[in-house]
Amino acid sequence: MKKGKKYIAALEKVDANKLYSIEEASKLVLETSTVKFDATVEVSMNLNVDPKQADQQVRGTLILPHGNGKEKKVCAITDKVEEAKAAGADVVGGAEIIDKIAGGWFDFDVVVATPNMMALIGKIARVLGPKGLMPNPKTGTVNPDIAKAIKEIKAGKVEYRVDKEANMHVSIARVSFGAKKVEENLKTLIDAVLKARPASVKGVYIKNAVVHTTMGPAIHFTFDGR
């Protein structure tokens, strides 16, 4: 596929053979944005894990210091209706919401729930699961403190997880954030992924890591603790 002039110009700024520091990469990624809109800054990694093994399914959540610039619409399935609304949930309900989702309604980005609703939510697990929307205690989306769960998501909480090929993709910022905020968010993500390293993994853990903007070139970066 033919590359546009802006992409080629951006690509020329990147040394494909260099491993940039996080600070360098955070500055360069903003200089290589090729679109007119406020592009998303994303991180892609390949980990030395076998996701087929239960103890190597790297997954978790973290609150980015500056959020990632994406407003998430939260659907709260709970009997604590007033608490959920006060915390900022966009949609709140119980069995009626579950029926609505079963009917094909998906006007939300995240589902949070109190533990007592999980038996009912199990009825739509086959619908929510493939879309990555099933509430899970490991990611904090099943929580007796529903207000806390909602506030964390609204404050910039994001999920990271490896796919079947041991790749991970996480949106961490917008170009408009500026280099310092991108750097701080990037460091927070890397720290979280390093802490989630499975004990059974030997040798290099993060095999490859790049940061890039929407439609921008990949910038390889390095860090301590690989």
Side-chain angles (χ1 to χ4, degrees):
M1 188 174 74
K2 188 177 180 180
K3 301 294 185 182
K5 290 181 180 179
K6 288 184 178 180
Y7 182 87
I8 292 173
L11 192 60
E12 289 176 348
K13 295 180 181 180
V14 181
D15 184 347
N17 298 312
K18 180 178 178 178
L19 281 176
Y20 291 87
S21 68
I22 286 181
E23 183 179 3
E24 291 172 329
S26 298
K27 292 177 181 177
L28 187 56
V29 73
L30 305 186
E31 298 172 11
T32 54
S33 178
T34 62
V35 295
K36 292 182 179 179
F37 57 85
D38 191 9
T40 298
V41 178
E42 301 179 359
V43 177
S44 299
M45 289 181 271
N46 178 248
L47 306 186
N48 179 29
V49 299
D50 180 2
K52 294 179 182 178
Q53 304 299 319
D55 65 338
Q56 293 191 26
Q57 294 175 1
V58 180
R59 179 181 184 183
T61 59
L62 71 151
I63 297 178
L64 295 170
H66 308 287
N68 67 356
K70 292 186 176 181
E71 286 291 330
K72 290 188 176 181
K73 186 175 285 188
V74 178
C75 173
I77 301 178
T78 178
D79 53 352
K80 298 180 179 180
V81 176
E82 295 308 315
E83 287 182 36
K85 286 182 178 179
D90 299 277
V91 183
V92 185
E96 74 281 8
I97 295 292
I98 294 171
D99 290 340
K100 197 172 178 181
I101 293 171
W105 175 76
F106 291 100
D107 188 20
F108 51 84
D109 302 303
V110 184
V111 180
V112 297
T114 40
N116 62 325
M117 302 301 291
M118 290 308 293
L120 289 174
I121 295 174
K123 297 176 182 178
I124 52 172
R126 291 183 180 179
V127 178
L128 294 176
K131 295 180 179 292
L133 293 169
M134 187 67 184
N136 189 319
K138 292 182 179 180
T139 60
T141 47
V142 177
N143 195 328
D145 189 344
I146 197 73
K148 179 183 178 183
I150 295 165
K151 287 177 181 177
E152 286 182 344
I153 292 168
K154 291 292 186 178
K157 186 176 184 178
V158 297
E159 180 181 1
Y160 60 88
R161 62 187 299 180
V162 291
D163 60 19
K164 294 179 180 178
E165 279 70 49
N167 295 315
M168 181 182 292
H169 308 283
V170 185
S171 298
I172 64 161
R174 297 277 192 180
V175 168
S176 61
F177 280 26
K180 191 61 181 177
K181 289 183 178 180
V182 170
E183 179 186 341
E184 290 173 357
N185 278 0
L186 179 53
K187 284 181 177 178
T188 300
L189 171 64
I190 294 301
D191 286 346
V193 174
L194 289 174
K195 287 178 181 177
R197 175 177 180 145
S200 56
V201 171
K202 306 301 179 184
V204 173
Y205 171 44
I206 300 179
K207 295 164 66 176
N208 189 30
V210 300
V211 61
H212 57 93
T213 59
T214 308
M215 299 176 69
I219 300 165
H220 292 261
F221 65 93
T222 187
F223 42 86
D224 294 332
R226 293 186 71 174

